[in-house]
Amino acid sequence: LLRRAPRRAPPRAADDLPVPTKYNTAAHSPAYFQPDWARHRYTPRRFARHFSTWPTSLIMKNILPVVTLLTAETAIIAYAPQLAIALPMLPFSLTSFMMGLLLTFRANQSYGRWWEARKLWGGTVNSCRSLARETLNGLRKSSPALCGRGLCMVVAYVHVLAAHLQGLSDDYLRGVLEEKLEPTEVESIMRSKHRPGGVLHAMGQVNRAAQERGEIDNVTHLLLSGYVHNLTDYMGACERILRTPMPLSITRHTSRFLMVWMGCLPFALVPQMGALAVPVMAIIAILLFSIDEIGVNLEEPFRRLPLQDIANVIEASVVSYKEEHDSMRAVMMNADASA
């Protein structure tokens, strides 16, 4: 009889992961402003600063077990040569370029995923700002209540999307939303099976309600719906990156190639260098495995990008637009009264 293949466990709505920071996430990229760039390119101290933080690097901590294993292997071969065979360096010279190609390809493809994710969030920033601006221009005068709900949904959306992509806990997301939405709205979003899509649907309902009441014309409704549609496209593209890793055969073959190559290297180094091969092997292992580890981390870009900072920037923009809109409107009313 044919047996049914075991089913994979269904994914959870949230992985209850901590908010990513440079202290708990390898290859984390913080948001930079001008003072950060000045420090980043300050060459005289840059090299010393980077070397001083090497022992506390999360990349270093992740590769430390395998580096320790290979270094111990080299030490055993160096101090007990009768237990090992001597290999020529020629096979390693012939295959080193293949190793370099594999690591370079892996790192480049992972960086491409990271950069695409960052561009998608750049588009999300622009669409959210445009949606907030046009919501204020179209609804602030005719329906302040709907305008306020629309702006709150824009702010809530970016935080919900960030939590969705970063696997943050329900308790964290609920705490964030309770500061920005009404309790009934928070419960509605938390019950949704797809929370970012649920917030976008609520935005669409706000726009539709404004059109049905005659508070915005059809052109404004189409404009606002277009921005919501753009946000849907960006969200879908982010989920495509999240749900689709690089082909697993590439990751597995790179790891296997690297382990076999590095595992055999001490048998060629020790006969030529003696005990000096131990620190040399440790340095080579750190450098090569660091490249592979960086590629593995950048492959999933959303916990490496400062999405919480970006969400806070969007929220600050929405609040600023509202204050500037009210201020400019008061100025214009005073100008009309004087005229």
Side-chain angles (χ1 to χ4, degrees):
L1 295 176
L2 295 177
R3 299 181 62 185
R4 179 176 297 179
R7 297 181 60 184
R8 296 178 59 186
R12 294 188 297 171
D15 295 325
D16 296 341
L17 299 175
V19 176
T21 66
K22 65 179 181 180
Y23 301 107
N24 61 21
T25 304
H28 185 263
S29 302
Y32 263 35
F33 298 94
Q34 284 303 326
D36 303 297
W37 282 112
R39 183 172 180 268
H40 178 75
R41 60 176 174 259
Y42 189 44
T43 305
R45 296 181 183 176
R46 175 162 53 94
F47 297 105
R49 185 175 70 251
H50 291 172
F51 265 99
S52 66
T53 58
W54 201 353
T56 60
S57 166
L58 291 178
I59 295 293
M60 183 67 180
K61 291 180 179 179
N62 290 344
I63 66 171
L64 187 59
V66 67
V67 171
T68 303
L69 176 64
L70 292 171
T71 305
E73 176 196 357
T74 308
I76 292 173
I77 296 173
Y79 292 103
Q82 68 276 8
L83 302 178
I85 59 174
L87 294 178
M89 286 298 297
L90 182 59
F92 300 95
S93 300
L94 293 176
T95 57
S96 60
F97 80 97
M98 290 187 287
M99 174 63 65
L101 284 176
L102 273 176
L103 291 176
T104 302
F105 176 79
R106 184 79 171 79
N108 283 343
Q109 293 299 312
S110 297
Y111 174 77
R113 291 167 59 88
W114 178 88
W115 182 236
E116 183 184 2
R118 183 60 187 90
K119 289 192 293 184
L120 291 172
W121 267 83
T124 299
V125 171
N126 296 338
S127 292
C128 285
R129 286 172 170 168
S130 298
L131 179 58
R133 185 183 64 248
E134 296 304 326
T135 299
L136 282 165
N137 291 334
L139 286 173
R140 186 62 175 167
K141 179 180 178 182
S142 60
S143 181
L146 279 180
C147 179
R149 301 292 8 108
L151 296 179
C152 288
M153 287 299 169
V154 172
V155 172
Y157 170 73
V158 289
H159 289 283
V160 171
L161 181 60
H164 173 69
L165 296 175
Q166 294 183 334
L168 304 183
S169 67
D170 291 352
D171 291 339
Y172 171 82
L173 179 58
R174 183 183 295 274
V176 172
L177 294 180
E178 286 176 348
E179 299 176 355
K180 310 177 190 309
L181 301 176
E182 297 294 332
T184 55
E185 294 172 331
V186 174
E187 292 301 324
S188 177
I189 293 173
M190 296 304 297
R191 286 196 306 266
S192 175
K193 294 183 178 180
H194 187 260
R195 290 165 185 166
V199 180
L200 290 178
H201 181 65
M203 291 183 191
Q205 289 181 317
V206 170
N207 297 336
R208 173 63 69 181
Q211 183 196 32
E212 291 175 348
R213 296 178 186 179
E215 293 166 351
I216 57 173
D217 55 28
N218 291 335
V219 175
T220 304
H221 176 260
L222 289 175
L223 180 64
L224 296 176
S225 298
Y227 289 128
V228 175
H229 179 74
N230 290 341
L231 291 176
T232 304
D233 287 342
Y234 293 135
M235 176 187 67
C238 288
E239 290 183 327
R240 168 177 53 81
I241 296 175
L242 180 66
R243 306 297 184 194
T244 310
M246 289 178 60
L248 297 180
S249 57
I250 295 177
T251 302
R252 291 167 181 167
H253 183 68
T254 302
S255 298
R256 292 162 184 164
F257 194 121
L258 186 58
M259 281 302 299
V260 170
W261 199 88
M262 293 295 294
C264 294
L265 185 59
F267 295 96
L269 285 181
V270 170
Q272 296 189 18
M273 305 181 66
L276 189 59
V278 177
V280 170
M281 185 65 191
I283 294 173
I284 295 175
I286 289 173
L287 297 178
L288 292 183
F289 280 101
S290 293
I291 298 174
D292 182 63
E293 182 67 17
I294 290 171
V296 170
N297 278 275
L298 290 181
E299 182 182 1
E300 192 282 279
F302 298 108
R303 289 193 61 83
R304 277 77 205 165
L305 289 170
L307 299 190
Q308 302 301 321
D309 292 340
I310 297 174
N312 291 334
V313 167
I314 296 175
E315 181 176 355
S317 297
V318 172
V319 173
S320 175
Y321 288 170
K322 180 178 179 296
E323 294 173 351
E324 292 166 2
H325 180 88
D326 294 342
S327 175
M328 183 58 65
R329 182 171 177 78
V331 170
M332 295 175 65
M333 291 179 63
N334 291 334
D336 291 340
S338 339

